Each structure stands twice: as structure tokens, then as C-alpha cells.
Amino acid sequence: MALDDVPADGDASRVGGVFGGLGMRLWPARRGLVVLIVALGAGVLAACGGADSPAGGGPPAVVGGPARGSGAPDTAGGGWHGAVAGIAVPRPSFVLTDTGGHRYDFARATAGRATLLFFGYTHCPDVCPTTMADLAAARQVAGPAIAAKVTVVFVTTDPARDTPAVLRRWLAQFDAGFVGLTGTQAQINAAQRAVGVPIALADPAVRAGAGPAYLVSHASQVLGVGPDDRVRVRYFADTKVAEYVADLPRLVAAL
């Protein structure tokens, strides 16, 4: 989906809540087959787009402007390998449905646990599978003691195709312990607002009845929440496995 396809109201006015000052990134979905090569021992991950990917494989689009209600901009540093909020932000609260068909209250179900939260979809050709593979690799490299204290939650932005069964099969390719959530489009939009990321946008072709082969542009952040139920950091799509590995003990300790 080209950046020009994003409607005018898909700008900073739609970015609110948790983070803002550095801008919120929307990943323009690219067509093509993703090949993942995961070498866990070395913490190496590789991915490639298809022939229809944009020339040069440019960076994600940035939706700029301050977030409403954030109170302070994000800043880099503080020892984290991502961006941190300038104020204390509580664990987001929203309710969706897990892959077992059960009600999942995110704030309650993950309370007191280090949590990594990501919005994406299973037909995504690039950032979603690479991010999930990175998180799976990071948990393995960090070791079982750390991995057992970190919950990874994936929320679909494409509920029409990502049924609970589809989500479960897809996530199991990376880590059987990953939590998958879905719901109505309205519920998923509400969850994105609660977290403070832009609302995902389906390719206009699907709205024109082009069939099931469509793309969805969505935020590419991974939100890191500590066991103290405070948002500690957000990571972007260029975060390396080694950087997650370095941060996970700190996230678990809520330092």
C-alpha cells in the first residue's frame, strides 16, 4: 500500500495516547514472499521482500506530530534500545478474544508480567513475521528464566482473515507460547487507540471489492510493559535481536 493511499485523516490527529513526540511509524505493506532465516545460536534473522517490493526497500512512513494526552514526548536513551515516554504511562487496557475463543482482558491477564505487545496480521509479507521471529529468537537467546517471565501478545489488524485458528497456526511457527488476539474491527480499533498507535488501514482495493488478496498498513511498534504495569519502552521495526536480548532482563526487573 503506497503512502499516497493513506487518507488525509490518517495523520497525527489519529495518533494519541501512549507515545508521540518522535512520531508514530506506519509500515507500508509490501507485496512478495518473505523468507525467514533464523539462526538462534547467533541471534541472526534475515528477511527479503518479493519482486513487487518498493525500489530500495525504503523505511516505514512516519506519522508525525505530538500525541494527544501523552503529556511529554518520547526520548531515546536511558539505557534502553528503544524510545521511552517522558512520563509514567500505565499498562493499556482493552478487551479482545484469544485464539481459544475466550475473553481476554489485556490489562488483567498480563498484570504483573513483563509484556511485549504488537499489532499486525498473518498475511503481512514483511514486518510482522520478521518481528515475531525476532521476539521468538530474543526469548530463546535470553534463556528460559527470562523467557518464562515475558508474555508476547500479537493483536491482529485483519480480523476478517485472521480467525482464531489461523492466528494460532501462524504464531505457533514462531513460539507456541505467544498470545494471539482478535475481535470485531471496532474492538481492535479501540485497542489501538488505547495503546496510542495509528488505526490500521486496509488497502483501498479491498473496499472496492478486489477480493481476499489485500494488504493492511499498520503501526510497526513493539510496546514493552514492565511487571510494575508501566509502559517502559517502544521498539521499532529496525530493532535487532541482540537489542531485545539486552533489554529483556531490565524489562523483567522493571528497572
Side-chain angles (χ1 to χ4, degrees):
M1 179 176 180
L3 183 58
D4 289 342
D5 292 332
V6 179
D9 65 350
D11 60 11
S13 66
R14 298 180 68 169
V15 182
V18 176
F19 292 115
L22 294 182
M24 303 300 290
R25 299 186 184 186
L26 277 172
W27 190 275
R30 295 175 295 176
R31 300 180 187 276
L33 175 66
V34 173
V35 179
L36 296 178
I37 305 173
V38 181
L40 294 177
V44 175
L45 293 161
C48 60
D52 292 332
S53 297
V62 176
V63 179
R68 293 173 294 176
S70 63
D74 290 357
T75 58
W80 294 99
H81 292 86
V84 298
I87 59 172
V89 178
R91 183 182 297 270
S93 179
F94 56 87
V95 177
L96 291 170
T97 302
D98 67 18
T99 55
H102 306 297
R103 182 179 186 272
Y104 193 95
D105 184 322
F106 176 80
R108 291 188 177 184
T110 61
R113 290 187 57 81
T115 309
L116 297 171
L117 172 66
F118 182 80
F119 289 85
Y121 67 116
T122 66
H123 287 75
C124 174
D126 37 41
V127 70
C128 300
T130 58
T131 298
M132 290 297 101
D134 285 355
L135 296 180
R139 290 175 80 249
Q140 290 202 30
V141 174
I146 294 295
K149 298 177 181 178
V150 178
T151 298
V152 176
V153 178
F154 180 94
V155 179
T156 182
T157 56
D158 183 20
R161 291 182 295 184
D162 288 346
T163 64
V166 168
L167 267 178
R168 186 69 271 149
R169 286 195 301 270
W170 187 79
L171 289 172
Q173 298 176 87
F174 308 103
D175 190 313
F178 284 0
V179 176
L181 300 180
T182 187
T184 66
Q185 191 64 63
Q187 290 172 328
I188 291 168
N189 289 351
Q192 290 172 96
R193 292 188 188 98
V195 174
V197 297
I199 302 300
L201 302 171
D203 188 323
V206 70
R207 294 193 288 268
Y214 59 89
L215 303 170
V216 180
S217 290
H218 58 90
S220 63
Q221 297 89 359
V222 173
L223 192 75
V225 187
D228 58 351
D229 296 323
R230 287 176 53 194
V231 174
R232 291 288 178 167
V233 62
R234 66 181 169 113
Y235 302 99
F236 294 116
D238 56 356
T239 303
K240 299 177 175 61
V241 171
E243 293 173 327
Y244 285 122
V245 172
D247 281 3
L248 284 181
R250 185 179 182 187
L251 187 65
V252 164
L255 297 175

